[in-house]
Amino acid sequence: MENQQLLAEFEQLKTLEGSALHTFKRGEIIIRQGEPVNYIYYLTDGTCYRSAITEQGEEYFYWIRSSGNVIDSLLGVFSLYGYGYSGSSITAKSDCTCYRIPGDIFLQFADTSPVLLRSLLERCLRQYGDLDKMFHSYKEHKAGEQVAHVLLEGCGYGEKGSTLPATFSYDFISRKTALHRVTVARVLRYFKEHEIIRRDGRKIVILNQEELERIADGKQVKYYLPR
């Protein structure tokens, strides 16, 4: 029931005052790092990714999002509840279609929707937890944990058989985890050999999410993981 209500409220986002349909070509920036977030975007078609450039010029990749995963389809929303500026950029990975919604109008609407606010809070806490785990995995050089985090985030913690977008390539996972591409290939080969994932052409299919979550959480597993 709650999920149906959330879906209904997302449909209302399209009709809010000032809401307008926008398209972005592959490579175009939807939200730019360092600029005020006056609008949020409801992704209805396509795939985008979030990245940030440090003062040293290093680029970090945080996530890839595709349309269809309800709460994850809102882009820039957490900046509205923060400093009002975006600490990262969101870029179209493919051609994207979004509803652009004025930030103040969205905040007014969210104040009347406990279901939407609860879903946003749950997503924010999960995102914080994922970043915390990734940070510790990176410090301890645990390649298996880092790659597992990326795969779980990519499938949105869906059910068994979840398929990641083709954009989850070795190169993307390598950049997101700061691991060498060869190391990423070794980890994915390990996951495949132990029937945790399988390849479907260019796409990765999750076969054993429970085991993948155990690896991501750093819990003892019965296999040797590349480090």
Side-chain angles (χ1 to χ4, degrees), residues 42-110:
Y42 173 24
L43 179 68
T44 58
D45 187 57
T47 300
C48 59
Y49 67 90
R50 177 185 166 210
S51 64
I53 305 292
T54 68
E55 293 181 358
Q56 291 73 35
E58 297 176 304
E59 186 172 18
Y60 287 90
F61 288 77
Y62 293 97
W63 45 248
I64 285 182
R65 297 268 172 84
S66 296
S67 57
N69 194 341
V70 193
I71 203 69
D72 283 346
S73 296
L74 285 181
L75 310 176
V77 65
F78 293 131
S79 295
L80 291 179
Y81 291 98
Y83 298 107
Y85 287 80
S86 180
S88 57
S89 293
I90 298 178
T91 306
K93 186 71 173 174
S94 67
D95 291 351
C96 291
T97 303
C98 308
Y99 280 88
R100 191 180 76 170
I101 305 165
D104 56 345
I105 299 297
F106 173 82
L107 291 176
Q108 292 174 22
F109 177 76

Side-chain angles (χ1 to χ4, degrees), residues 7-180:
L7 288 171
E9 292 185 356
F10 263 66
E11 285 301 306
Q12 292 183 53
L13 292 177
K14 302 176 182 178
T15 63
L16 293 179
E17 180 184 351
S19 178
L21 199 61
H22 282 254
T23 58
F24 297 88
K25 295 294 184 182
R26 178 181 178 182
E28 283 192 278
I29 295 177
I30 301 171
I31 295 176
R32 189 179 299 274
Q33 181 178 352
E35 294 187 353
V37 179
N38 298 317
Y39 299 90
I40 68 161
Y41 294 84
Y42 173 24
L43 179 68
T44 58
D45 187 57
T47 300
C48 59
Y49 67 90
R50 177 185 166 210
S51 64
I53 305 292
T54 68
E55 293 181 358
Q56 291 73 35
E58 297 176 304
E59 186 172 18
Y60 287 90
F61 288 77
Y62 293 97
W63 45 248
I64 285 182
R65 297 268 172 84
S66 296
S67 57
N69 194 341
V70 193
I71 203 69
D72 283 346
S73 296
L74 285 181
L75 310 176
V77 65
F78 293 131
S79 295
L80 291 179
Y81 291 98
Y83 298 107
Y85 287 80
S86 180
S88 57
S89 293
I90 298 178
T91 306
K93 186 71 173 174
S94 67
D95 291 351
C96 291
T97 303
C98 308
Y99 280 88
R100 191 180 76 170
I101 305 165
D104 56 345
I105 299 297
F106 173 82
L107 291 176
Q108 292 174 22
F109 177 76
D111 284 344
T112 67
S113 173
V115 173
L116 177 58
L117 286 175
R118 176 180 173 179
S119 297
L120 287 173
L121 178 59
E122 289 174 348
R123 182 67 187 97
C124 183
L125 291 174
R126 193 173 74 191
Q127 185 170 302
Y128 170 80
D130 290 345
L131 287 173
D132 185 61
K133 292 173 184 176
M134 281 288 291
F135 171 74
H136 288 290
S137 296
Y138 177 75
K139 284 189 67 177
E140 297 169 16
H141 306 289
K142 295 182 178 179
E145 291 182 22
Q146 290 175 261
V147 175
H149 282 301
V150 175
L151 298 184
L152 287 168
E153 185 179 84
C155 73
Y157 288 81
E159 299 297 327
K160 177 181 176 181
S162 295
T163 302
L164 277 69
T167 45
F168 273 73
S169 63
Y170 287 3
D171 287 335
F172 173 79
I173 297 173
S174 175
R175 285 180 292 173
K176 183 171 172 58
T177 58
L179 295 170
H180 194 282

